[in-house]
């Protein structure tokens, strides 16, 4: 994932310090990556400048105040003022002097202290297990925890998610920046899960429940959006991309101009139940020929089980269906790449090249370059990393 990803306990003291973690209420404010842009007002300026400086230092730059002024376009006076605040908060530390050979007076170098705050990230997208982690500010895991949670006919009790968050918060050994939770389904900007059919959830105020129980600011986001954000922050994802997740269903995260698009009903990217063949197989939603009836893991597994000799053909046909279905969205939004996260059958070169050919067959023109369809190289922690990135974006504006 990130360069020197650490695992649980690897040379890191996990003993909680007494009196911490304390939620960092003063750090709130920069707009969420999951809500639309709004015009900045004068009260936002200081926060914006602070985010600019943290952004330039992220993840591992070592720069002087003069460097920061050049990089951000802010005046030296403003930079000194903001840096002074960041030093007081412990988010930035001094780390030696600039070299004599550089032009101008030697200055003090500054860097982000990745251990100054921690983030609790929770992934609800996996079957039968709720996964959680504490990460540092670079998205690196310093502690893991999980709860087994078979989802029965009654759905999933949100109290289990609260319990996992409580446990993680208790293990943090630096002040917490926030909690980020990735959930299947549609989620509004306040962290209310509007609908997650697998969990039997209808308007569950998950952010409110977790904040109430832990006192830590909490954000909740759709899991495919979270994975897309991780691909952008920690993978090779560009600022404009369609991130497609193939699992029990098919979902997508839409990133345009470095922002996750959520849509009017918070359902952007919910493409699994869009009909691609009105004469196709019956779908659990009551329609026929939804994308999920042809491309999801259960649909592919079943088709291959019935005709094992046609495996390669079945996978190629599914890829062509997917590419055909995505072409219009890719064309409308002028996206240069589609990133696919899925099981091995959909991560192989045959699947990806067939999907890429199908997209480009429909979009080929002199107006745009060839669209790239590639797999995500981020591993099973992609959603946890995405929530760490979401908290970082929401709480201190670093993208
Ligand atoms: Zn359907």
């Amino acid at each position: 994932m990130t360069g020197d990803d650490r695992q649980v306990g690897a040379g890191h003291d996990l003993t909680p310090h007494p009196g911490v973690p304390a939620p960092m209420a003063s750090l709130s404010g920069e707009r969420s990556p999951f809500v639309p842009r709004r015009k900045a007002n004068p009260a936002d300026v200081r926060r914006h400048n602070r985010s600019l400086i943290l952004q330039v230092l992220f993840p591992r730059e070592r720069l002087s105040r003069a460097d920061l002024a050049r990089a951000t376009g802010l005046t030296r006076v403003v930079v000194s003022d903001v840096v002074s605040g960041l030093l007081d908060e412990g988010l930035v530390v001094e780390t030696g002097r600039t070299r004599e050979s550089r032009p101008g007076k030697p200055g003090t170098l500054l860097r982000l202290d990745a251990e100054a705050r921690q983030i609790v990230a929770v992934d609800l997208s996996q079957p039968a297990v709720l996964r959680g982690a504490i990460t540092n500010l670079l998205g690196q895991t310093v502690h893991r925890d999980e709860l087994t949670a078979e989802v029965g006919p009654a759905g999933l009790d949100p109290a289990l998610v609260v319990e996992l968050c409580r446990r993680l918060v208790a293990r943090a050994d630096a002040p917490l920046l926030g909690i980020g939770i990735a959930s299947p389904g549609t989620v509004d900007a306040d962290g209310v899960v509007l609908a997650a059919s697998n969990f039997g959830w209808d308007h569950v105020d998950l952010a409110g429940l977790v904040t109430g129980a832990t006192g830590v600011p909490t954000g909740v986001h759709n899991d495919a959006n979270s994975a897309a954000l991780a691909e952008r922050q920690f993978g090779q994802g560009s600022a404009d991309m369609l991130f497609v997740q193939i699992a029990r269903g098919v979902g997508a995260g839409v990133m345009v101009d470095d922002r996750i698009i959520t849509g009017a009903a918070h359902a952007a990217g919910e493409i699994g139940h869009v009909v691609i063949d009105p004469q196709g197989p019956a779908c659990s939603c009551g329609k026929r020929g939804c994308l999920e009836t042809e491309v999801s893991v259960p649909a592919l597994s079943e088709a291959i089980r019935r005709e094992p000799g046609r495996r390669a053909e079945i996978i190629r046909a599914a890829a062509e269906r997917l590419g055909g279905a995505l072409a219009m969205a890719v064309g409308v939004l002028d996206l240069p790449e589609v990133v696919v996260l899925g099981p091995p059958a959909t991560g192989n070169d045959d699947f990806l090249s067939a999907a890429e050919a199908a997209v480009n067959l429909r979009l080929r023109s002199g107006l745009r370059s060839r669209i790239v369809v590639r797999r995500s190289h981020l591993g099973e922690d992609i959603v946890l990393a995405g929530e760490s990135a979401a908290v970082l974006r929401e709480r201190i504006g670093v993208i």
Side-chain angles (χ1 to χ4, degrees):
M1 199 155 293
T2 43
D4 55 348
D5 221 356
R6 287 174 307 167
Q7 298 302 314
V8 184
H12 198 78
D13 176 14
L14 297 175
T15 311
H17 299 170
V20 294
M24 299 306 296
S26 65
L27 293 177
S28 72
E30 184 66 13
R31 66 173 188 264
S32 162
F34 297 98
V35 298
R37 291 169 185 273
R38 64 181 170 82
K39 190 169 180 291
N41 63 50
D44 290 332
V45 170
R46 186 179 166 84
R47 204 159 50 215
H48 175 71
N49 292 344
R50 188 171 171 282
S51 295
L52 270 180
I53 287 172
L54 288 170
Q55 178 75 57
V56 172
L57 290 171
F58 187 87
R60 291 188 182 85
E61 295 297 327
R62 289 156 48 91
L63 299 168
S64 69
R65 288 169 178 78
D67 296 331
L68 288 169
R70 273 190 294 275
T72 59
L74 299 172
T75 66
R76 291 286 296 272
V77 172
V78 169
V79 167
S80 290
D81 183 42
V82 174
V83 164
S84 164
L86 291 170
L87 287 167
D88 287 346
E89 293 177 60
L91 276 170
V92 162
V93 290
E94 293 182 339
T95 179
R97 312 279 293 173
T98 55
R99 289 196 308 272
E100 296 290 338
S101 59
R102 290 166 50 140
K105 283 191 303 184
T108 306
L109 290 170
L110 303 154
R111 67 171 172 82
L112 183 72
D113 182 1
E115 314 301 328
R117 302 287 185 277
Q118 290 179 333
I119 294 167
V120 167
V122 172
D123 174 10
L124 307 182
S125 70
Q126 303 299 313
V129 63
L130 313 181
R131 303 178 69 226
I134 298 172
T135 76
N136 66 10
L137 293 179
L138 302 185
Q140 295 167 329
T141 298
V142 295
H143 174 68
R144 286 173 193 276
D145 197 358
E146 60 182 44
L147 271 180
T148 305
E150 289 292 345
V151 180
L156 178 70
D157 184 352
L160 288 175
V161 182
V162 173
E163 169 61 17
L164 179 60
C165 290
R166 266 188 208 275
R167 279 170 26 177
L168 287 160
V169 166
R171 290 299 299 269
D173 57 6
L176 281 169
L177 197 58
I179 298 174
I181 302 173
S183 171
T186 51
V187 185
D188 76 10
D190 296 323
V192 176
V193 180
L194 302 174
S197 54
N198 291 342
F199 292 166
W201 288 359
D202 177 7
H203 287 79
V204 171
D205 181 7
L206 195 58
L209 289 170
V210 173
T211 302
T214 62
V216 181
T218 302
V220 184
H221 317 99
N222 168 270
D223 55 353
N225 288 345
S226 180
L229 195 57
E231 186 67 29
R232 173 64 179 147
Q233 190 100 328
F234 305 114
Q236 288 94 46
S238 60
D240 299 276
M241 68 171 161
L242 191 58
F243 185 96
V244 180
Q245 197 174 25
I246 301 170
R248 268 173 303 180
V250 182
V254 186
M255 179 162 274
V256 175
D257 191 20
D258 234 347
R259 316 290 310 166
I260 296 285
I261 303 296
T262 50
H266 309 284
E270 293 289 332
I271 54 175
H273 292 284
V274 174
V275 174
I276 55 168
D277 177 8
Q279 317 305 324
C283 180
S284 59
C285 73
K287 294 179 296 197
R288 303 194 75 88
C290 294
L291 184 60
E292 283 189 13
T293 64
E294 306 217 15
V295 180
S296 64
V297 170
L300 280 169
S301 305
E302 175 58 17
I304 293 168
R305 192 191 61 78
R306 270 190 270 117
E307 298 180 90
R310 291 184 59 240
R311 186 177 195 280
E313 204 179 318
I314 288 165
I315 288 173
R316 191 168 55 249
E320 286 170 0
R321 284 289 204 188
L322 179 68
L326 299 180
M328 185 60 84
V330 170
V332 164
L333 296 170
D334 189 15
L335 304 175
E337 69 170 349
V338 176
V339 183
V340 178
L341 177 70
T346 59
N348 68 32
D349 291 340
D350 286 348
F351 183 93
L352 296 166
S353 60
E356 185 174 290
V359 170
N360 285 286
L361 183 68
R362 287 160 178 79
L363 293 177
R364 188 174 53 213
S365 92
L367 299 176
R368 53 169 71 87
S369 306
R370 184 173 174 83
I371 316 298
V372 173
V373 178
R374 64 172 178 84
R375 71 178 66 85
S376 169
H377 295 290
L378 298 181
E380 63 169 6
D381 283 347
I382 183 170
V383 171
L384 290 174
E387 283 307 308
S388 182
V391 170
L392 204 60
R393 279 193 173 199
E394 287 176 348
R395 305 287 300 161
I396 57 177
V398 171
I399 59 174

